[in-house]
Amino acid sequence: MAINWKLMDAKTEWADEGRLLVELPEDEAATIARDKPRVPPGQNLTNGFPVLSIGDNPLIRTRDWQLVLGGHVERRIHWDWQDFQSAPQTEFKTDIHCVTGWSKLDTVWQGVSTREIIRSVRPLHTAKFVTLRSYDGYATSLDMADFAHEDAFLASHYDGKPLDRAHGGPMRLIVPHLYLWKSAKWLRQIWFTDKEPRGTWEARGYHRRGDPWKQERYE
Ligand SMILES: Nc1nc2c(c(=O)[nH]1)N[C@H]1C(S)=C(S)[C@@H](COP(=O)(O)O)O[C@H]1N2
Ligand SMILES: [Mo]
């Protein structure tokens, strides 16, 4: 796996500089956090679909694909592609927001809701966080409640077609209420934990939670 160190360095610098942070009067920030306008502060709409990857986009064939769910759960799960296809599929329409400043409205996906996954593994009460690990070595983590959010899902299709490799095909996570770095592409492991480990970007100055309406870009 070749890592794109130029991108890693550039984005680490943005975190140091606080790039794209918009100064808002406190009352206005509170209004935005409450009303959630369609486009969060500091974001611009795009019609394209930029690709943001830390390195080469890994090639994972569906016949080799595996997803492991474990950690603080009652029931550990090891899925192959057939198992994933057999889980209940739903269509999702949602807006997405990348911390580099682009937002995209009304993207249409198909996949399996994270709540469906949670029902299958039955997390223990000690499960407070979810760590996501991907085939390209990328990692990120979420609070249990953010992973379980009703809008979050594991996507295998975008715009009616199998998800492109560059966008995380054959399967990626989408957590649309947080900045898109939380939405791990080429997902291979979902681990329920009692402690919060830092992921690839969280270790480089990015926020532990990443709410776009609160501009939780860095910390
Ligand atoms: N496995 C993996 N997931 C990842 C990334 C990555 O490099 N590797 N980049 C993240 C970042 S920073 C963003 S903005 C989105 C980009 O998704 P896209 O390339 O489909 O636009 O994926 C996120 N998930
Ligand atoms: Mo990103």
Side-chain angles (χ1 to χ4, degrees):
M1 244 307 289
I3 298 285
N4 181 349
W5 291 111
K6 262 167 98 166
L7 173 81
M8 295 289 245
D9 290 348
K11 284 190 68 181
T12 305
E13 246 174 71
W14 297 0
D16 292 343
E17 292 164 6
R19 190 174 185 271
L20 295 178
L21 287 174
V22 180
E23 285 284 352
L24 294 168
E26 217 166 278
D27 54 334
E28 201 175 317
T31 309
I32 288 174
R34 194 188 57 237
D35 296 347
K36 302 205 166 163
R38 210 87 196 259
V39 184
Q43 296 294 107
N44 285 297
L45 290 182
T46 178
N47 289 321
F49 196 167
V51 171
L52 264 288
S53 306
I54 54 164
D56 296 339
N57 301 321
L59 172 59
I60 317 298
R61 294 176 206 282
T62 50
R63 65 166 183 270
D64 301 326
W65 182 91
Q66 296 185 0
L67 179 67
V68 176
L69 299 100
H72 290 228
V73 296
E74 268 181 39
R75 194 167 150 247
R76 201 172 158 156
I77 285 182
H78 195 144
W79 272 355
D80 63 16
W81 191 249
Q82 195 59 48
D83 299 324
F84 180 70
Q85 297 297 102
S86 307
Q89 306 283 321
T90 313
E91 195 174 276
F92 299 85
K93 188 177 194 174
T94 192
D95 303 343
I96 53 180
H97 313 285
C98 172
V99 73
T100 59
W102 58 268
S103 291
K104 192 168 171 58
L105 303 184
D106 294 326
T107 60
V108 178
W109 307 79
Q110 186 197 304
V112 177
S113 91
T114 54
R115 287 183 300 172
E116 192 61 45
I117 301 278
I118 288 167
R119 262 195 293 280
S120 305
V121 296
R122 296 195 296 269
L124 303 173
H125 69 275
T126 49
K128 305 281 188 230
F129 306 99
V130 181
T131 299
L132 308 153
R133 295 195 184 85
S134 299
Y135 280 97
D136 60 342
Y138 186 83
T140 187
S141 66
L142 293 166
D143 288 344
M144 195 58 201
D146 285 321
F147 180 73
H149 196 283
E150 60 177 335
D151 297 337
F153 57 95
L154 308 184
S156 58
H157 286 70
Y158 172 73
D159 221 5
K161 293 181 282 292
L163 183 58
D164 276 359
R165 175 179 167 190
H167 289 297
M171 191 280 271
R172 76 175 301 167
L173 179 69
I174 294 286
V175 184
H177 72 292
L178 300 177
Y179 284 119
L180 206 56
W181 88 79
K182 297 290 183 180
S183 298
K185 307 197 279 187
W186 314 289
L187 192 53
R188 82 177 163 78
Q189 191 191 77
I190 301 178
W191 215 250
F192 296 81
T193 63
D194 55 349
K195 286 185 230 50
E196 183 179 29
R198 287 180 186 199
T200 306
W201 290 122
E202 292 85 358
R204 290 173 172 80
Y206 286 76
H207 201 277
R208 57 164 298 277
R209 177 145 189 271
D211 181 339
W213 289 273
K214 295 183 186 157
Q215 297 194 72
E216 290 175 345
R217 296 176 188 274
Y218 323 109
E219 69 182 353

